[in-house]
Amino acid sequence: MQAKIQTSQILNLPEFDYQTPASKKDAVGLLFSSGGDAIISAGGTDLIPNMKNGTIKPKALISLSRLSPEKESITADGALRLDALSTLSDIAESPLIKLKVPTLANAAFHVGGQQIRNRATLGGNLCQDTRCLYLNQSHGFQFVDACYKRGGDCCYPYPAEKRVCRSVFMSDTAPVLISLGAQLVILSNSGEKGVDINDFYTGDGLKPLKLGSAEMISAILIPPESQKMQCHFVKATPRGGLEFAMVSVAIALKIDGPDKKCGKARIAVGSINTSPLRAFKAEQEIVGHNLNEAIAAEVARKVADEVKALPHHGYSKGYLKQLVEVHTKRSLTAMIYPKEPLTHETSD
Amino acid sequence: MKQAIELIINGETHDLFVASNVTLVEAIRDNVGLLGTKVGCDMGTCGACTVLLEGKPILSCITLAVECNGKEITTIEGVSDGVTLSNLQEAFVRKGGVQCGFCTPGMILSGTALLKKNSKPKVDEVAKALEGNLCRCTGYNRIIDAVLDASVSTSHLQDQGEK
């Protein structure tokens, strides 16, 4: 007989009701009837740790584990349609995504480790909760008073401000989808609606998503003109693996002709504020110019001035601002002067 | 609220009766009694609890047992037959890829999944595949050497088989 040992549980997962709907429609139906007490779980790689450390306390979990994602496809009007339930591994390895929007595959490939990417979904990555060094501490920190986001009445990093949460939104795929001008298909009991991803994030650390309590992301559409733009994504991390970004920069440019005239630009910066930020003013500065190294340096400086960095995870505001400038400049330079493929083999 | 689930662990079907808040690693260790899978951080960071779910490495400490109902799971106990070690396990011994051993089950499973997908990985591909597994003893070099060594001996065996 197996002896009763309970050695495995270090952190307690609180009890909850568990439901496994057979379709997305049933899932939003259950979400609606729960009256805001339930939460959708897709991969659970963000949700379960947050439930373990007590940041989120749902009464019921609506698990999408029975549903399998639709394959990515091109719609009648040329948009690339991605199922929100596609895992990040699916996105990173899909030949169609690698061909049409390689930056998205690249961003997905740099989330967590392979164990995370095999479970985590694209929709879940866009809906992940904001993070803060204090909020997400698992062990000792739970024994101090709860902060605003945990339902308490204080903030450790910003003690002077009242009821403001400056936890940072750290999704890697969100800035890329912003640079690609993606549309989110949001499903609720009353049907589907399209939302521009620019309008999806509130900028409020307490409630970072503009998503109703009975809504979920069903699919992501990438318009055809974005698929023709040149794209670049860079994620700055201290070690280069299994990390949240210090700063991530996603850029999409339409570069025309031999004099490299910029026809259209979208620049998004992630992991430095309560939502991913878009550098609208700097984008206008670059459009219409013939691109060269001097323009890249100037625009990078303008992007760093425009997007406001919050100090997070031990990185100071000044350091993050510099990171934004350096990585924007490097990205733009790499896009303006793409590396020539090696055409001959060296012989000696 | 407990419910009956069926987990196919290392080819053997286990009928369990678990609460919805039981994680897969708790079910594997406490209900089934296979103690090879380790719990390090219990927060999905360290990779010590890595198991293969339908052949793909996942973190069993942040996966609910009820979500794995009817699915196939491979733990470290299922990598070898219990008598002879697998090719990768032998390479870990040969190359000194084991020190305290706590990360090893996760490393072996991540490495096994990599070699199944890519029989001749390059150094950076091995490092990328193992990025989700933390080791505080070896400095990773010997672990990466071991996976590369196993890939050489595996492809050598395959080449012989083809001839």
Side-chain angles (χ1 to χ4, degrees), chain A residues 8 13 16 52 63 114-115 118, chain B residues 20-21 42 50 57 61 67 129:
Chain A
S8 302
L13 202 52
F16 48 82
K52 279 189 175 183
S63 165
Q114 61 165 339
Q115 298 99 319
N118 284 335
Chain B
S20 50
N21 63 346
D42 209 9
T50 302
C61 75
E67 292 198 306

Side-chain angles (χ1 to χ4, degrees), chain B:
Chain B
M1 191 179 65
K2 285 195 172 188
Q3 56 177 295
I5 59 164
E6 186 185 277
L7 299 180
I8 306 152
I9 303 178
N10 306 328
E12 202 178 309
T13 305
H14 295 269
D15 292 308
L16 306 177
F17 195 55
V18 295
S20 50
N21 63 346
V22 168
T23 58
L24 180 59
V25 72
E26 289 162 32
I28 290 170
R29 287 180 60 97
D30 299 339
N31 296 60
V32 180
L34 294 172
L35 300 178
T37 310
K38 305 297 184 223
V39 185
C41 64
D42 209 9
M43 286 296 281
T45 303
C46 73
C49 66
T50 302
V51 299
L52 305 185
L53 180 68
E54 312 270 282
K56 286 181 180 172
I58 59 127
L59 299 169
S60 60
C61 75
I62 56 168
T63 303
L64 299 176
V66 285
E67 292 198 306
C68 303
N69 189 10
K71 293 189 176 162
E72 272 185 41
I73 293 146
T74 307
T75 68
I76 186 67
E77 289 88 350
V79 171
S80 70
D81 57 8
V83 183
T84 45
L85 296 176
S86 80
N87 212 348
L88 181 60
Q89 285 173 312
E90 268 185 11
F92 265 68
V93 174
R94 206 162 49 233
K95 288 285 174 182
V98 181
Q99 275 191 37
C100 86
F102 201 83
C103 73
T104 312
M107 289 283 183
I108 296 278
L109 286 163
S110 287
T112 303
L114 168 72
L115 292 177
K116 205 164 184 186
K117 216 159 84 176
N118 179 356
S119 62
K120 285 180 185 171
K122 298 189 187 81
V123 179
D124 54 343
E125 288 170 328
V126 175
K128 182 72 184 162
L130 298 181
E131 72 178 331
N133 295 80
L134 299 189
C135 168
R136 300 291 82 176
C137 306
T138 67
Y140 303 101
N141 284 343
R142 287 165 181 236
I143 293 172
I144 293 171
D145 283 352
V147 178
L148 290 170
D149 199 47
S151 73
V152 171
S153 54
T154 311
S155 51
H156 176 64
L157 288 176
Q158 279 168 354
D159 290 346
Q160 277 186 336
E162 279 164 19
K163 274 173 193 170

Side-chain angles (χ1 to χ4, degrees), chain A residues 23-41:
Chain A
S23 70
K24 285 180 187 167
K25 216 166 173 183
D26 292 353
V28 287
L30 287 170
L31 209 51
F32 182 76
S33 55
S34 78
D37 288 338
I39 194 161
I40 295 263
S41 167

Side-chain angles (χ1 to χ4, degrees), chain A residues 224-258:
Chain A
E225 62 272 16
S226 300
Q227 298 166 30
K228 294 185 195 102
M229 287 167 90
Q230 265 207 55
C231 302
H232 200 273
F233 170 74
V234 63
K235 173 177 178 177
T237 59
R239 295 192 311 254
L242 189 70
E243 283 172 303
F244 285 98
M246 301 189 282
V247 158
S248 61
V249 180
I251 305 179
L253 297 178
K254 188 166 177 288
I255 304 176
D256 300 316

Side-chain angles (χ1 to χ4, degrees), chain A residues 62-265:
Chain A
I62 299 168
S63 165
L64 305 181
S65 56
R66 271 171 70 194
L67 313 184
S68 29
E70 280 168 39
K71 212 149 172 51
E72 57 280 3
S73 60
I74 302 284
T75 61
D77 53 359
L80 177 61
R81 187 187 167 96
L82 310 170
D83 193 321
L85 279 177
S86 311
T87 65
L88 295 174
S89 293
D90 293 341
I91 302 282
E93 286 162 20
S94 154
L96 184 65
I97 296 172
K98 276 189 191 168
L99 180 74
K100 296 283 182 188
V101 282
T103 40
L104 183 61
N106 182 14
F109 189 58
H110 285 95
V111 176
Q114 61 165 339
Q115 298 99 319
I116 301 272
R117 292 193 292 275
N118 284 335
R119 291 283 295 168
T121 64
L122 182 59
N125 193 267
L126 296 176
C127 294
Q128 67 179 261
D129 212 348
T130 52
R131 302 181 70 80
C132 159
L133 195 55
Y134 296 87
L135 180 66
N136 298 99
Q137 289 274 335
S138 54
H139 297 279
F141 199 75
Q142 288 178 37
F143 302 102
V144 300
D145 283 344
C147 69
Y148 294 128
K149 182 125 184 172
R150 290 174 98 110
D153 194 31
C154 64
C155 175
Y156 293 93
Y158 297 93
E161 294 181 56
K162 287 284 164 214
R163 299 222 57 80
V164 169
C165 175
R166 300 205 190 278
S167 51
V168 175
F169 184 77
M170 308 194 86
S171 161
D172 294 323
T173 59
V176 170
L177 289 174
I178 289 174
S179 77
L180 294 170
Q183 287 277 317
L184 306 177
V185 179
I186 308 255
L187 184 70
S188 69
N189 247 359
S190 50
E192 286 187 343
K193 66 171 180 189
V195 171
D196 192 317
I197 190 165
N198 277 317
D199 306 326
F200 187 63
Y201 297 104
T202 60
D204 175 4
L206 293 171
K207 194 184 177 299
L209 310 176
K210 220 175 271 176
L211 192 68
S213 62
E215 292 180 333
M216 66 179 272
I217 301 182
S218 167
I220 293 101
L221 294 169
I222 297 168
E225 62 272 16
S226 300
Q227 298 166 30
K228 294 185 195 102
M229 287 167 90
Q230 265 207 55
C231 302
H232 200 273
F233 170 74
V234 63
K235 173 177 178 177
T237 59
R239 295 192 311 254
L242 189 70
E243 283 172 303
F244 285 98
M246 301 189 282
V247 158
S248 61
V249 180
I251 305 179
L253 297 178
K254 188 166 177 288
I255 304 176
D256 300 316
D259 49 0
K260 299 183 177 174
K261 192 174 174 187
C262 178
K264 195 169 188 179

